[in-house]
């Protein structure tokens, strides 16, 4: 269990600490402006919480950790510039944006410099070896794991036998959720995907898609909705308004209660998360982090996307200690040895082929009468194969 020895002075947007000559420096090339800021700032705040804890316990390799930061402005070209800026300021490791597309330009700069990079919460397999290089990792759980978790959990716990796949084709993350569901659900006893359809996140109406669902001989047991806010909220509202009562499944991107005013009284909506922000996670370490985050930022995490920032610093620091070095290749070798490495949010593993989580314990959050709560936890029975992730 991690001890949360957090300085109460840390706050969102706080200035970087003064850097001493012998400090280890982490460079944050992240969005502090633009729409990605909503994802990057919480995860970066969590990362800085773990940095403060490590410093309070004597530091890393006997040295304190400092950090520098450059704003990518949610712009790909600026991401590359931000990466170069933090390198110029002495970064020994780089933390980059949650999204692969916006984080990769900075991560590629880190790769060229031979240092490790971690995406804050990217869930696309390309955010790692496949899209950046051998020293790049992600702190989150692949989107495909989320879809596979929903498939297996709903089959086992809610007796789902028929499923309908509704894919928002706007971003790769959504496709990853459906990839996992499409892989897992047909493997389960007595199951059938009875239809599939697509839409775009900014579509004002999905009336034609709803018509096709209602034309089925029987209502599907589950609808695998692979989308994010605001499009996901709009789709859910329209599905329920049409009188469709199927259990609706989604990925972690819709975690949080901030959007529920758009779907009053919603029930039968389920998502998998790495940890619960609602105070009901069965692991006391998670709630201890939520409390520490509130002390640091003034509010509790708004979604589970804060958690990967804490996890990535924790894992990287352990690898550095074991390597006895900040050298990117040496640290990578230690990270790739991690198999079921304990963290406050569950076990994590890496390999020479995959720098992501293709299996993880997920907490299952269900919304009933407009209120989200943990109802279960689930780990898929087998990891999502790499070839499936690359399809």
């Amino acid at each position: 269990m991690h001890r949360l020895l957090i300085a109460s002075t840390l706050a969102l947007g706080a200035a970087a600490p003064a850097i001493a000559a012998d400090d280890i420096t982490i460079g944050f090339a992240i969005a502090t402006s633009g729409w990605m800021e909503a994802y990057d700032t919480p995860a970066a705040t969590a990362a800085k919480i773990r940095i403060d804890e490590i410093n309070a316990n004597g530091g890393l390799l006997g040295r304190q950790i400092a950090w520098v930061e450059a704003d990518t402005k949610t712009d790909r070209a600026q991401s590359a510039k931000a990466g170069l800026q933090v390198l110029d300021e002495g970064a020994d490791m780089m933390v980059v944006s949650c999204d692969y597309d916006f984080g990769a330009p900075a991560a590629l700069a880190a790769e060229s410099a031979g240092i490790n990079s971690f995406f804050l919460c990217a869930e696309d397999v390309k955010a790692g070896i496949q899209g950046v290089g051998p020293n790049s990792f992600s702190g989150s759980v692949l989107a495909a794991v989320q879809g596979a978790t929903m498939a297996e959990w709903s089959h086992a716990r809610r007796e789902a036998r028929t499923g309908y796949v509704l894919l928002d084709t706007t971003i790769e993350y959504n496709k990853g959720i459906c990839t996992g569901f499409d892989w897992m659900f047909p493997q389960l006893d007595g199951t059938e995907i009875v239809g599939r359809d697509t839409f775009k996140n900014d579509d004002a109406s999905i009336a034609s898609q709803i018509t096709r669902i209602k034309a089925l001989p029987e209502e599907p047991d589950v609808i695998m909705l692979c989308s994010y806010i605001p499009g996901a909220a709009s789709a859910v509202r329209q599905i329920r308004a049409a009188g469709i009562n199927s259990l609706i499944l989604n990925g972690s991107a819709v975690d949080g209660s901030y959007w529920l005013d758009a779907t009053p009284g919603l029930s039968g909506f389920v998502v998998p998360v790495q940890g619960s922000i609602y105070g009901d996670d069965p692991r006391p370490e998670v709630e201890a982090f939520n409390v520490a985050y509130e002390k640091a930022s003034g509010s509790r995490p708004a979604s589970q996307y804060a958690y990967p920032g804490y996890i990535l610093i924790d894992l990287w620091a352990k690898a550095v200690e074991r390597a006895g070095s900040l050298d990117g290749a040496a640290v990578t070798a230690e990270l790739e040895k991690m198999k079921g490495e304990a963290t406050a949010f569950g076990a994590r593993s890496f390999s020479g082929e995959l720098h992501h989580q293709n299996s993880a314990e997920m907490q299952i959050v269900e919304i009933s009468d407009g209120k989200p709560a943990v109802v279960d936890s689930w780990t898929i029975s087998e990891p999502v194969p790499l070839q499936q992730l690359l399809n």
Side-chain angles (χ1 to χ4, degrees), residues 8-287:
S8 62
T9 55
L10 178 67
L12 288 174
I19 299 175
D22 63 346
D23 281 346
I24 293 169
T25 303
I26 295 178
F28 287 84
I30 61 171
T32 58
S33 61
W35 68 266
M36 275 297 299
E37 184 273 337
Y39 292 91
D40 286 5
T41 290
T45 299
K48 293 166 189 173
I49 287 174
R50 187 67 187 123
I51 290 170
D52 277 10
E53 291 177 0
I54 292 168
N55 284 339
N57 282 288
L60 182 61
L61 301 179
R63 299 157 63 185
Q64 291 289 285
I65 303 173
W67 51 270
V68 296
E69 190 168 88
D71 185 8
T72 68
K73 301 179 181 178
T74 313
D75 178 84
R76 292 175 178 85
Q78 191 63 37
S79 173
K81 293 177 183 177
L84 293 172
Q85 179 180 327
V86 298
L87 286 173
D88 287 343
E89 295 177 12
D92 298 299
M93 188 273 266
M94 193 182 301
V95 176
V96 304
S97 278
C98 274
D99 179 75
Y100 167 72
D101 290 327
F102 290 96
L108 287 166
E111 193 68 34
S112 295
I115 69 170
N116 295 109
S117 65
F118 265 89
F119 288 79
L120 279 168
C121 56
E123 294 169 345
D124 182 334
V125 70
K126 295 190 292 298
I129 299 172
Q130 285 72 22
V132 176
N135 296 314
S136 186
F137 295 77
S138 176
S140 201
V141 175
L142 285 162
V145 175
Q146 299 165 30
T149 298
M150 288 289 84
E152 195 170 54
W153 176 84
S154 65
H155 178 268
R157 294 288 194 255
R158 298 299 169 85
E159 300 183 351
R161 298 297 181 266
T162 58
Y164 195 95
V165 177
L166 186 55
L167 169 63
D168 170 359
T169 59
T170 308
I171 60 174
E172 289 298 314
Y173 166 80
N174 299 337
K175 298 173 186 176
I177 302 170
C178 278
T179 292
F181 185 87
D182 285 341
W183 168 71
M184 177 64 81
F185 198 69
Q187 298 183 58
L188 306 172
D189 290 342
T191 58
E192 180 183 4
I193 295 177
V194 295
R196 58 180 69 245
D197 219 326
T198 63
F199 70 107
K200 292 283 190 182
N201 197 267
D202 59 359
D203 286 349
S205 171
I206 59 165
S208 58
Q209 293 89 336
I210 287 173
T211 296
R212 287 187 282 272
I213 295 172
K214 291 181 72 70
L216 293 169
E218 294 183 359
E219 190 172 273
D221 295 329
V222 294
I223 295 173
M224 184 70 246
L225 175 63
C226 306
S227 185
Y228 62 99
I229 304 299
S234 175
V236 169
R237 184 173 62 250
Q238 293 177 65
I239 288 167
R240 289 292 186 251
I244 297 171
N245 296 311
S246 305
L247 188 69
I248 303 175
L249 314 172
N250 209 322
S252 302
V254 295
D255 181 35
S257 59
Y258 60 93
W259 60 274
L260 293 179
D261 286 346
T263 56
L266 177 63
S267 289
F269 185 89
V270 184
V271 297
V273 296
Q274 295 175 62
S276 173
I277 64 173
Y278 306 109
D280 58 355
D281 196 290
R283 301 161 298 184
E285 299 94 332
V286 175
E287 184 56 21

